[in-house]
Amino acid sequence: MTRAASRHRGSSSSIRVGRIESYEVAGWHGVRADVDGEEILFEAAGVRLAPAPEAFASSLLVAALEAQRGLALDAPVDRQWLHGAAGLMRVFSEWWGYRPVPIEATERDGNDGPTASGEGLCFSGGADSFHALLRSPEPIDTIVSVQGFDMAYRDERRWATFSASLDEIAKVTGVRSVRVRTNLRQHPSVKGMDWERGHGGALAALGHLLSGSIGRLVIASSIPAADKTPWGSHWQTDALWSSSTLTVVPWGEASRRDQKIREICREPLVQAHLRVCWENRAPTGNCSRCVKCLRTVLLLLDEGVLDRYPGFASAFEIPASLDALPTARRRWRAFEEVLR
């Protein structure tokens, strides 16, 4: 059942999402949409993606706010998602000063049928997502990883290495590993977006695409509840990306990242496959030179387990790597506890 009621009047300057369609190519199942005349696509192997307008709307909302353009969708959009989007814009206005933009869409009533029972987890191989996989009280049955977010869409070498880790993690934990690739960050409407602010909607989009097989999507919190720092994926906002067919759930905000690392650092699976680097300075794995890598290395050294992590540089290389950090990027607050 639908109700033809646009929440806002449309604008000629709106980012327009039209012609959402499913397709298959070389064993991959995909969903694509025409966005301002250029294609955004998501593809996955071994699982059918849903042509959900909420996936594209979630991916584009922060980009629309930054550009101060409306967001217009030709397909009907779930009522609960629209309500959550209004809440998100209020929060983002408080955090970053964005003025709300109009969303032009026909409102669709909630799904009358049963929602999927699966529990998915956005999984990057980092400390937050590993901690959620191994410590979440709700059993995870699907981990969802992406080529095209912090790993480039066509970076096949790095993706192949990570995929091998995903195979082993899925085998040991008994979960299903779903791998999605997308050109989202290459699209002109998204290219200039601040990814630190917009990635929460992109993560939520994965759940909407998989709403035929999962009913809940867990996003591991990178910001603890004690920290008021605004962030794109945040325990205060993640649930607002939900719809009537998908519940988005933040988890792990009760602990800081250093606490999470200390809690799981003796797990053999973590030792073999922890991947925290997003700057991708090394051809594969962790570069051991960026802020995030070095913070992790110091924690592992402090716990006495660094020698069990083949994916990181040895303790002998730490002083030179710390000295090499540009002063403005050292962010000593992140190192303060372990350095003390």
Side-chain angles (χ1 to χ4, degrees):
M1 179 179 179
T2 62
R3 184 174 63 174
S6 295
R7 287 182 168 260
H8 302 277
R9 185 176 298 277
S11 167
S12 59
S13 64
S14 294
I15 298 175
R16 179 163 291 279
V17 180
R19 206 190 73 246
I20 301 174
E21 60 184 11
S22 301
Y23 64 95
E24 292 190 22
V25 56
W28 289 77
H29 181 80
V31 172
R32 59 193 169 201
D34 181 289
V35 179
D36 280 353
E38 294 196 32
E39 185 177 83
I40 289 179
L41 59 83
F42 295 88
E43 296 175 335
V47 62
R48 184 169 294 275
L49 302 180
E54 296 79 19
F56 294 93
S58 297
S59 300
L60 293 164
L61 181 60
V62 171
L65 289 168
E66 286 192 350
Q68 280 297 285
R69 299 178 64 191
L71 187 58
L73 297 103
D74 291 351
V77 178
D78 182 82
R79 179 190 300 172
Q80 183 179 336
W81 186 92
L82 287 168
H83 180 76
L88 286 162
M89 286 193 282
R90 287 193 293 270
V91 176
F92 295 157
S93 176
E94 293 174 6
W95 283 356
W96 299 311
Y98 294 146
R99 296 194 309 275
V101 298
I103 297 178
E104 179 188 4
T106 299
E107 191 175 278
R108 186 181 73 245
D109 285 346
N111 181 32
D112 294 330
T115 58
S117 60
E119 184 98 4
L121 167 68
C122 294
F123 188 80
S124 66
D128 296 314
S129 57
F130 245 130
H131 183 265
L133 175 63
L134 299 176
R135 297 292 186 266
S136 171
E138 298 292 334
I140 302 295
D141 54 53
T142 301
I143 54 175
V144 189
S145 308
V146 187
Q147 181 182 11
F149 284 1
D150 63 344
M151 196 176 298
Y153 177 47
R154 294 300 186 189
D155 189 344
E156 301 299 341
R157 180 179 179 182
R158 187 172 281 106
W159 181 250
T161 300
F162 184 44
S163 287
S165 288
L166 292 173
D167 288 338
E168 181 65 18
I169 292 165
K171 179 181 178 181
V172 171
T173 60
V175 302
R176 176 180 65 157
S177 173
V178 171
R179 295 152 215 200
V180 178
R181 63 188 183 192
T182 177
N183 68 345
L184 173 69
R185 294 191 69 178
Q186 298 178 347
H187 192 275
S189 295
V190 179
K191 229 173 188 178
M193 181 185 74
D194 186 331
W195 188 249
E196 290 186 353
R197 298 181 178 185
H199 72 275
L203 292 174
L206 303 174
H208 291 294
L209 292 165
L210 291 166
S211 58
S213 58
I214 65 173
R216 281 165 50 99
L217 178 73
V218 177
I219 299 180
S221 294
S222 54
I223 301 295
D227 188 344
K228 305 303 180 184
T229 303
W231 196 247
S233 169
H234 197 285
W235 56 271
Q236 287 184 274
T237 56
D238 287 345
L240 293 174
W241 297 108
S242 300
S243 71
S244 60
T245 57
L246 176 78
T247 301
V248 181
V249 183
W251 192 82
E253 70 274 12
S255 302
R256 300 189 310 271
R257 183 175 288 124
D258 62 304
Q259 294 171 322
K260 295 176 183 178
I261 291 173
R262 293 183 191 279
E263 187 175 335
I264 64 173
C265 67
R266 288 170 177 79
E267 298 273 0
L269 198 63
V270 177
Q271 293 170 358
H273 301 292
L274 182 66
R275 175 186 168 272
V276 303
C277 189
W278 61 269
E279 292 193 17
N280 296 327
R281 298 186 190 182
T284 61
N286 302 293
C287 74
S288 296
R289 299 190 304 275
C290 69
V291 169
K292 198 171 181 183
C293 279
L294 284 171
R295 184 174 58 201
T296 304
V297 164
L298 287 171
L299 286 165
L300 297 176
L301 181 64
D302 191 47
E303 287 290 317
V305 296
L306 179 59
D307 59 347
R308 304 180 202 174
Y309 281 79
F312 289 99
S314 70
F316 298 105
E317 300 175 58
I318 294 175
S321 297
L322 283 171
D323 289 341
L325 284 177
T327 303
R329 299 199 59 218
R330 294 190 186 193
R331 303 178 188 175
W332 290 119
R333 284 181 59 193
F335 295 99
E336 184 177 343
E337 179 185 346
V338 69
L339 287 174
R340 183 171 61 247

